[in-house]
Amino acid sequence: MKLTQQRKLRTTLTGLFAWTIALILFFPIFWMFITSFKTELQAISVPPSLFFEPTLENFSIVQERSDYVHHALNSVITAFGSTLIALAIAIPAAYSMAFFPSKRTKDILLWMLSTKMLPAVGVLVPIYILSRDYGLLDSRTGLVIIFTLMNLPIVVWMLFSYFKDLPKEILEAARMDGATPWDEMVKVVMPLSIGAISSTGLLSIVLCWNEAFWSLNLTASEAAPLTAMIASYSSPEGLFWAKLSAASTLACAPIVIFGWFCQKQLVQGLTFGAVK
Amino acid sequence: MKRSITRLLMAPSVILLLIWMIVPLSMTIYFSTIRYNLLYPGQNNFVGWMNFEFFLTDPGFFPAVANTLILLASVLIITVVLGVLLSALIDRPFWGQGIVRVLLISPFFIMPTVNALIWKNMMMNPVYGIFAWISESLGLEPIDWLSSLPLASIIIMVSWQWLPFAILVFVTALQSQDTEQKEAAQMDGATGWHIFRYLTLPHLARPITVVVMIETIFLLAIFAEIFVSTGGGPGYDSTNLAYLIYNQALLQYDVGVASAGGLFAVILANIVAFFLIRAVGKNLTV
């Protein structure tokens, strides 16, 4: 009797504690969201005001000033485009490594991951010059290529660790029926790993959406995604907090909401199958 | 026959990554040995190690290396330690667990650029920021975070972004922990601390490796937060290698020195990767 009561109390306390931490960590996002509906004067009032008459004015100003829709479209095209290409390239590679491993498979996988350790800033200049020479500066195509290569190692790794966990018997049965490796991949493995493929894709989309280094350095206006648009608000002019908040809210809302819906899958994806 | 097909399937990934690695890297090596300043075109003569000398004797060099490593180590420690403790605490079910999860993971989806802007303007501003308001409400002097504690400010921003990631990975991992084992230990009189130390922590070894590996890849390249919030300053107090090289290349137009710096960053990343991949190679079954 006493024990269950103690347990109940503990559960309540953990709950309270968890809520406190969660609210503290979420507060900056909440505050950005709230501020985006304030007037500039309310935004910088001390003490901070929590109750006010919300206005939508900031959002229309943001759209006018920096054409949100144009940049959002760039974000969507580059994030989804590069993710699709990365998946198309990575699925065959992961499949062949998972089901037809050789002595060098492990080395190849580690080498792929090590290309992620190549700091972007170390190769910024050559990439900048190559993009310039091939007319890819400030173009969506250029960004899609970079994003694809940037995420390819992680996509291969994630798919590999999923494929490896598929029961081998299913493949053997298909092989008995005379399926070629290609048939196996397209008709057996891929349908079985729709969940894995989509969670890998989701992660890749999130990483592309939030990528800032390449988009800041390789785009100007034509192909600039939302990350680059937001950075332009860091100038002194950006000190208009309410507008800045509106722009930030607009830039983050799609990916945050997207993330909420797919959080479970994303976490599974991010852990390379190491967490079961 | 089968082998050639599997090779064919791997070829696009391997070839593309090879190109992605070799082409820019060899160009960087070449640039690092010539004089190459965008302000003085046509004077690209061979200069040997001079660019490296310039980069290594740049007053920003040591602060940048130190800041890169401090940033990496601090964020790793903060996110892993707090992540393990918090996730062990919130492992058992409680009211609203789903919502708490959603709130906790959210900072991970915020763009680094926006992250920096929110913290710089709305949290850490010495006059109008929430922190200043809290300090004043407590009767304390508000801190001008970005100018007096620039590196700490960056560490806070980056940790805020990555702590949710660590918590979620650990919480997910803990859900697969054997509850019977835990209960048996409790029956035998094990304290909460013992259970945490001898059951929970070993269970988390692999997830911790994964978190450390993924975070290291991203933390060595921290750029947007610094670019947007402190601009590396004041002085070199919050300049990391990535930002220093960016500064050389695009603000001072010195491609040669920037390339030498880039190579240095590649070497540093590979030293870190060497240890990392050895640890990961052991811990991840391939």
Side-chain angles (χ1 to χ4, degrees):
Chain A
M1 184 61 202
K2 220 181 136 199
L3 218 90
T4 47
Q5 248 177 1
Q6 244 181 13
R7 213 171 244 188
K8 247 189 183 162
L9 184 74
R10 266 187 67 177
T11 315
T12 318
L13 282 180
T14 358
L16 267 176
F17 184 72
W19 270 97
T20 315
I21 299 284
L23 290 175
I24 291 175
L25 281 180
F26 189 74
F27 180 77
I29 302 174
F30 167 75
W31 200 244
M32 163 187 86
F33 181 73
I34 289 284
T35 308
S36 65
F37 295 99
K38 292 180 177 178
T39 63
E40 291 299 342
L41 255 177
Q42 286 163 340
I44 56 165
S45 72
V46 184
S49 56
L50 199 52
F51 300 101
F52 55 92
E53 208 174 301
T55 165
L56 286 174
E57 195 195 2
N58 299 315
F59 292 94
S60 55
I61 295 174
V62 167
Q63 168 59 23
E64 241 168 68
R65 178 186 144 173
S66 39
D67 197 358
Y68 167 76
V69 178
H70 167 74
H71 296 296
L73 197 65
N74 283 340
S75 279
V76 170
I77 291 174
T78 51
F80 282 78
S82 57
T83 297
L84 284 179
I85 299 173
L87 283 176
I89 300 171
I91 289 174
Y95 160 80
S96 86
M97 282 196 275
F99 293 108
F100 306 98
S102 73
K103 267 178 278 167
R104 283 182 310 163
T105 301
K106 190 173 176 172
D107 294 334
I108 295 176
L109 271 169
L110 286 176
W111 165 72
M112 284 188 169
L113 201 63
S114 77
T115 63
K116 275 295 294 174
M117 302 302 291
L118 192 72
V121 64
V123 292
L124 169 64
V125 175
I127 298 292
Y128 185 89
I129 290 172
L130 286 173
S131 318
R132 190 192 60 196
D133 293 351
Y134 290 94
L136 291 172
L137 266 193
D138 202 15
S139 80
R140 288 174 190 154
T141 318
L143 267 198
V144 167
I145 294 173
I146 301 273
F147 285 176
T148 303
L149 291 166
M150 181 183 83
N151 282 336
L152 192 57
I154 288 187
V155 173
V156 172
W157 261 86
M158 283 169 57
L159 291 174
F160 168 81
S161 45
Y162 280 112
F163 289 170
K164 208 174 43 86
D165 286 341
L166 287 177
K168 294 258 189 300
E169 292 80 18
I170 300 174
L171 279 185
E172 272 156 26
R175 235 167 277 169
M176 296 283 228
D177 294 342
T180 63
W182 178 260
D183 287 336
E184 254 173 55
M185 182 175 82
V186 177
K187 292 184 187 150
V188 184
V189 174
M190 281 174 63
L192 279 176
S193 29
I194 286 291
I197 293 172
S198 52
S199 88
T200 308
L202 296 178
L203 177 72
S204 164
I205 289 169
V206 172
L207 291 177
C208 293
W209 189 282
N210 289 341
E211 201 288 329
F213 183 79
W214 293 113
S215 23
L216 277 170
N217 287 316
L218 297 182
T219 67
S221 58
E222 253 337 278
L226 289 167
T227 35
M229 178 197 97
I230 286 297
S232 73
Y233 282 78
S234 65
S235 61
E237 209 185 333
L239 284 177
F240 295 108
W241 291 5
K243 281 168 213 92
L244 167 71
S245 302
S248 302
T249 303
L250 284 171
C252 292
I255 206 72
V256 170
I257 293 168
F258 179 78
W260 285 350
F261 278 111
C262 336
Q263 50 137 336
K264 258 202 189 125
Q265 278 206 305
L266 274 173
V267 175
Q268 283 167 356
L270 263 179
T271 53
F272 295 154
V275 178
K276 288 269 152 53
Chain B
M1 156 58 187
K2 210 172 72 185
R3 250 184 94 181
S4 60
I5 290 184
T6 57
R7 278 200 179 155
L8 200 70
L9 292 174
M10 277 174 64
S13 294
V14 172
I15 292 170
L16 282 174
L17 284 174
L18 261 179
I19 298 172
W20 172 236
M21 188 176 81
I22 290 172
V23 173
L25 200 58
S26 40
M27 282 173 79
T28 305
I29 292 173
Y30 169 64
F31 291 157
S32 72
T33 62
I34 59 171
R35 182 203 303 270
Y36 190 174
N37 192 310
L38 298 174
L39 293 180
Y40 310 102
Q43 300 182 1
N44 303 340
N45 42 327
F46 179 80
V47 293
W49 294 101
M50 214 174 72
N51 287 324
F52 287 90
E53 251 180 74
F54 269 128
F55 185 77
L56 295 178
T57 54
D58 187 289
F61 173 73
F62 276 111
V65 175
N67 288 341
T68 307
L69 296 175
I70 292 172
L71 189 63
L72 173 68
S74 323
V75 178
L76 279 180
I77 293 170
I78 292 173
T79 55
V80 169
V81 171
L82 284 185
V84 167
L85 291 178
L86 288 173
S87 47
L89 277 170
I90 64 173
D91 179 35
R92 55 182 67 229
F94 55 85
W95 183 80
Q97 205 172 23
I99 306 172
V100 164
R101 247 174 174 247
V102 162
L103 294 180
L104 276 178
I105 199 180
S106 300
F108 184 64
F109 300 118
I110 298 294
M111 293 172 183
T113 33
V114 167
N115 170 357
L117 285 171
I118 301 178
W119 283 90
K120 174 188 173 188
N121 293 327
M122 285 175 243
M123 298 289 129
M124 294 170 167
N125 184 293
V127 182
Y128 308 109
I130 296 289
F131 284 2
W133 175 68
I134 293 174
S135 322
E136 262 165 26
S137 311
L138 298 172
L140 302 168
E141 194 71 15
I143 304 169
D144 187 354
W145 285 85
L146 291 174
S147 29
S148 51
L149 295 167
L151 191 60
S153 307
I154 304 280
I155 290 172
I156 292 176
M157 292 174 198
V158 178
S159 302
W160 178 69
Q161 184 137 49
W162 286 95
L163 178 60
F165 167 68
I167 293 179
L168 267 135
V169 172
F170 297 150
V171 165
T172 315
L174 285 177
Q175 281 169 352
S176 68
Q177 198 180 1
D178 194 351
T179 45
E180 274 172 34
Q181 206 183 16
K182 243 161 106 177
E183 272 160 24
Q186 254 164 354
M187 295 281 233
D188 291 344
T191 59
W193 164 250
H194 278 125
I195 292 177
F196 175 75
R197 172 70 188 80
Y198 296 105
L199 293 179
T200 309
L201 219 48
H203 181 75
L204 286 179
R206 247 163 77 100
I208 289 176
T209 321
V210 173
V211 167
V212 168
M213 178 178 78
I214 296 176
E215 284 193 12
T216 303
I217 288 176
F218 287 92
L219 295 178
L220 278 175
I222 289 292
F223 172 78
E225 286 86 343
I226 298 174
F227 175 80
V228 171
S229 65
T230 64
Y236 292 108
D237 286 355
S238 61
T239 300
N240 68 350
L241 269 178
Y243 195 79
L244 183 71
I245 297 162
Y246 166 80
N247 207 31
Q248 295 281 5
L250 291 185
L251 301 182
Q252 301 182 26
Y253 304 103
D254 199 329
V255 176
V257 174
S259 298
L263 284 180
F264 183 83
V266 171
I267 293 166
L268 184 80
N270 275 293
I271 295 173
V272 174
F274 173 76
F275 291 108
L276 200 67
I277 282 181
R278 261 194 7 181
V280 172
K282 249 183 260 158
N283 246 334
L284 286 182
T285 42
V286 170

